Amino acid sequence: MDEDEDEESVNQAEGDTTDEEHLQHAKWISLFNFTSKTHIIPLTIAACLSVASGIVIPALAIFLGKIFDTFADYGAGTISGSDLTKQTSLNGLYLLGLGSVSWILNGSFFMLWLLFGELQARHIREMLFDGMLQKEMAWYDMRKSGVNAMIPRLQTQIRELQIATSQPLGFAIQYTATLFAALGLAFYTAWNLTIVTIALVPVTAVALAWVSARIQSATDLQIMHLTQASKLANNAITGIDTVKSFNGQDHELWQYLEATKKAAVFYLVQARANAFQIGLVRVTLLGMFVQGFWYGNHLVDVGSRTPGKVLTAFWACLMATQTMEQLLPQMIVLEKGRVAAATLKAVLIKVDKGRKIKQMVGRKTPRYCDGDIQVKRVSRLHPPEMATTNSLEVSFAYPSRPEQLVLRNSSFFFPAGETTFVIGKSGSGKSTLGNLLLQFYPPASGEITIDGEPIQILDTNWLRNNITLVQQSSVLFNETIFTNVALGRRDHDTVRREDVKRCMEAASLKDTYKDWPNGLDTLVGIGGSAMSGGQKQRVAIARARLRDTPILILDEATSALDHISRTEVMEAVREWRKGKTTIIITHDISQIQDEDYAYVLDKGCIVQEGYRHALEKLLDGAFAGFLHPDVGLPTPTLRNLPQSHQRHSVHLSTLQGSPTSSADTNDSMNIQLPQKTIIPRAYFPSTENARLRRQSQGFASSLPPMAMHMNRMSTVNARMSMSSFGNFKQQTELVTHPPNSLPIGFDSVDVPWNDDFEGKSSRRASARRASYLSARSRSPIKKLSPLRRLLRRDIAFYKPAQKDDELSSLKTILSSVWPRLTRKHRLILICGFVAALAHAGATPVFSWVFSKLLGTFFLTTGRSQQALVWSMSVLGVAVSDATASYLMHYLLEVCGQAWVDSLRVEAMKRILDQPRSWFELDKNNLSTLTECLDRNAEEMRNLVGRFAGFAFVAATMMSISCVWSLVICWKLTLVGLATAPLLYGITRGFEAVSGKWESKCNDASEAAGGIFHETFVNIKTVRALTLESYFHRKYSTTTAQAMKTGLRRAVYSGLFFGISDASTIFVTALIFYYGSLLTASQEFAAQNILTVFSMLLFSIANINAIVAFIPQINSSRSTATRLLRLASLPVTSHEHTGSLHLTQLPGPISFRALSFTYPLRPLTPVLSSVTLTVQLRRSTAIVGPSGSGKSTLAALLLRLYLSAPGTLTTGNIDISTLHLPSWRAMCAMVPQAPILFPTSIADNITYGLAASSPLASPASVQKAATRAGIHTFVASLPRGYATAVGDGGIGLSGGQVQRLGIARALVRKPQLLLMDEPTRALDAEAAEGIRQLVEELVREGCTVVVVTHSWEMMRACGSVVMLEAGKVVENGMYPELMGRRDGRLRALLGERKGGSVMGEDLNG
């Protein structure tokens, strides 16, 4: 069935290239979209058992009809009391046999359907995982909602499909079988009576189908808004540091609240439709007795049918319509499953058809890789009638911005066995080279070859196993340090600890990893959260060292390291990479030695290339801008270039991106030359091979085709004569990696503003938000606790919770409903239960009226008139019951939605209020939290919306029936009640077993979801390291474990369900037998016995329906436990201790004997008795080796963590006593890796500011962007500041993201500006601009604290504080500290020849 495609879903999926969630109408066959051939056998057996168990109920009607015939004969005097008892006993034995068969059938079908649901879930998980592993990076880039938001929705839809294809689908088939079997029995017994009785059923069926069709659009819209809510939650949790630092909690909470409210509107549309369907079925169910019983009495009068046959037909019709009523709740679940299946199918269709990795037959896997790389021009021959040749060099644009070329007609040559540098401004296209070489994206034009072979014909696994890419934002997996390093090698299972230790030492981590709690076995946390930025980069370099491929690409791989560490690492890399191809992409030209070859990029063009010592001599060249940042990039013309090289630079775009023009395309001398300076390596000392090949690249364009061919052949021969640098065996594995920030170049000048930029600060929106936030701010805050008590309380956050895995009782869960509802919804809840009470009372009333109808068969005169009277009474009960049923279902759904929305928002609020270290706990990982807010909330709503009403009705109905029955026939009632403890025990056992295994299945599902999330959020790293097979095995193991857990759940649950369902038939046999004894003894009238029969049987039927919901109830209970844990998180952390409001900094910021350890690593001190003072209106640089605690100081200033012991004060005021939001409002933070939210550039810059604030005005935003050096780039974008960024938006380079982060801080006009490595992703010119900005801010009265490794930034700051191992070892002005011969700062930065340190003259 995998090949069966839903046509409408296919069309929709193909038509929408950016969004999977919007689907056209899904067919019911979609439920089997993921049923494979191996699933056919269990599916067929389960369906057969469902049909067989469905026939049990009509069979029960046959025996009930026979028993009634016996009672009717006794009432007519045709049989004696002993015959009555004898025949009833015989039929009772048949009922016992039928119950035993029911036990086996129901238990087996329940078990197999749970198994089928698990099979479906596992199959779709594997199909999605396998399919998404095959997707091109462009597919991930084009996800409108972003990968982070897409994955939680996929997990939710898998769960919805699994639930739908489990017992609900089984019950649907069972009920359908019962429906047809009952109708067949009814037609066989009394066909004419059956036609009259069910005359309204076809009309009702048409009405139900029409209403069901209307639900589809509401379901789609609800899913869309839930996806948006999930996306918002995901982004807020991912960027929690930014959210807290910029007081964005209220903003995030408001957005989330709005999204959930919109989703609720469309869910209530579905709830109204479903309630209407249930009410319609109810009125049809009871109303059919009006015409049916009147006609049945007529048939008895004329002697056409006996009372027993009439009753059998009626019981059969009643069972058929009751089955329709029981089918509706299952249809609600199946409807969700159908939409989920169609959505998942659409995703897979796109996976199969759109932007899939191309698999080529005969793809080459060379035996060796020398590492000779050419990114070169290609010739495209026009058709024969056009005798012209068009030569193009490599060009590329990212899929999210196809109109903007990131690389513009560029050619590169990276000789085998040599180190080559690529430098350029932020956004110039440097990082794109790595993406192209690893075949993450194909170039728009041009050709890339490795060892003379075009990479498109090389096996992708071979390619990636011979190239290692280490990026600036080093990705570590949620594994141990040892495993993270070992994953660098293909045979990672055989990696020895000695190998890893050697690589760690090469990355300057020898002393560091020994200090970690468990050494190499220390878990790094999700995304490497337990490590500093520099430590993560060094672990990534150690992984690359172990991998040791012929080609290595380092993309700003040491930007977070201090000078000494960077120097040590680079020296180790140079030693290690001797004779191997190495490409280093960097802003730090200090790494480039005189004999190193470098390319200089600007706006995607190569503007200069050559050896460093030659490039330095061109004072007006682009390279000079990196030596002297105060000098901008020049605009060289033709006369700037040596005449001998002018002809070799044709077809290159100018810096301004203006098109080339030519009067004669065949005359290269007449073509306007680009601004590119070429200094061939042939002019400088190097190997002969390298000189020849560098020259061949430069002169290739001027040679005729044959000469070019001969030149390439000579290059190949030269390469073959060289010694083998990389004798590497063929390696074949797959991998994947997530879209990262990508550089874009733009030329436009106009700056369009977002139409909604000022509209968002409209009076209406501001008023609504203000009213909400003011209400939130008025919420009571508990009295502050003493600091030491508070510390103990915060540490308690990180101790393992003993009861997290225990399910909350239904009482505990439901007791949270009333406090969470508003007065309006409390009134609605009361009305809902009043309606439920009326609905519950309608069944005993109906039973009593029904018994009166049955009594008319004993009348000898006036039977028709009495039948008409009681039939009309049934009609009145039917209308009242249908109305009550509609109100009960709809009103309780309204309250359930309000309850869940309240818990969602409360959980989100409390999540955002948690201390920073809370997010580092494994149980609080991103995928778990977003799943709790999304899927768990959707499931737990059923507890109030569906199950609470059913349970209340069953309990009320049972109570009314028992009291009424006690009055009529107390002996028979007591016998029935005597079975209650046994039935209760069986039901509780079923509930306990189901709840236990449901919780285990949820845990297994979350574990699989976590691996799924980690794999595809980090898809680019996974793919670059060819770790697809590793994560595939890991995921398969987890899904297999989930399958095993689900199988055990199915066995135990099936056993208990079978006995709980069959027990009602056993009780029915007992009641009838004892009733016959009472009737035969003439202790009670037959009429009274029949009345009690009717009441007890209807009550048992309703209770039995509740039993069928127990697995779903336990599933909702399990998910409710998780969400309630989040909604009940404490809000008494250190972030709520202060109350003192400040409007300006009262004095210097002082650290006094401050110590700190992260709560998860209490034995590893990060800061030890730090004492220092930050003077106001001055700039202070915090420096030191990686991992020395620099960034921790900035985090403590923003109170993201609580420090103890020691004090942190401003003007002698302890910061812990300050009102935290007002304190953070005076501060601004520029983190190492700024987080961009999926919204416009303008909204990102003004993040955390009130919409009405003058700081959020367009003029203020533009000024901040200009000072941060990003305005020109933004102005070049077609939509300017309205351009969307982040997930689903355009890709930005690391430097562009960094400058947007700086603009976000500047727009607030902070009094205290904290900057953590603000220039690490910037080129020299941009970094110089930031340094000048720091000096300007200080002159304007701002206090600036800069965490940095840059000696230029240190020199620009007023004072420097040196940290080592968490302690202050030096403090003073930069010249003073650098003048100390044995100083720590001097040692950190290192000395150069001639007595200068990092460009500073020690004597001057």
Side-chain angles (χ1 to χ4, degrees), residues 1158-1171:
Y1158 286 101
L1160 289 179
R1161 302 182 293 280
L1163 301 180
T1164 307
V1166 180
L1167 297 176
S1168 301
S1169 300
V1170 170
T1171 298

Side-chain angles (χ1 to χ4, degrees), residues 1309-1347:
K1309 296 185 177 178
Q1311 298 180 44
L1312 173 62
L1313 177 61
L1314 306 172
M1315 308 178 83
D1316 191 354
E1317 298 289 357
T1319 61
R1320 78 168 192 168
L1322 302 182
D1323 56 79
E1325 182 181 4
E1328 175 63 21
I1330 299 303
R1331 291 191 288 272
Q1332 293 176 4
L1333 173 64
V1334 169
E1335 295 172 353
E1336 291 174 10
L1337 290 172
V1338 171
R1339 288 195 295 269
E1340 294 170 4
C1342 179
T1343 303
V1344 183
V1345 177
V1346 186
V1347 175

Side-chain angles (χ1 to χ4, degrees), residues 1148-1152 1171-1175 1180 1359 1361 1371:
I1149 298 170
S1150 300
F1151 298 80
R1152 294 285 180 267
T1171 298
L1172 66 93
T1173 299
V1174 176
Q1175 299 295 334
T1180 302
S1359 62
V1361 177
N1371 190 351

Side-chain angles (χ1 to χ4, degrees), residues 922-937:
D922 188 55
K923 67 178 181 179
N924 299 324
N925 63 74
L926 177 63
S927 62
T928 298
L929 294 178
T930 51
E931 186 175 6
C932 280
L933 293 170
D934 188 4
R935 177 178 72 83
N936 291 0

Side-chain angles (χ1 to χ4, degrees), residues 236-246 916 1198 1200-1201 1231:
I237 296 170
T238 301
I240 189 63
D241 285 351
T242 301
V243 172
K244 287 178 174 291
S245 300
F246 290 89
R916 179 62 182 85
L1198 288 169
L1200 295 176
Y1201 299 93

Side-chain angles (χ1 to χ4, degrees), residues 1057-1078:
F1057 175 76
I1059 191 172
S1060 63
D1061 190 73
S1063 61
T1064 58
I1065 300 179
F1066 298 150
V1067 172
T1068 301
L1070 174 63
I1071 291 173
F1072 272 112
Y1073 170 73
Y1074 189 67
S1076 68
L1077 293 178
L1078 294 177

Side-chain angles (χ1 to χ4, degrees), residues 858-876:
F858 299 103
L859 299 177
T860 56
T861 60
R863 178 183 295 155
S864 298
Q865 292 81 0
Q866 288 296 312
L868 180 60
V869 170
W870 292 113
S871 295
M872 294 305 295
S873 299
V874 168
L875 180 61

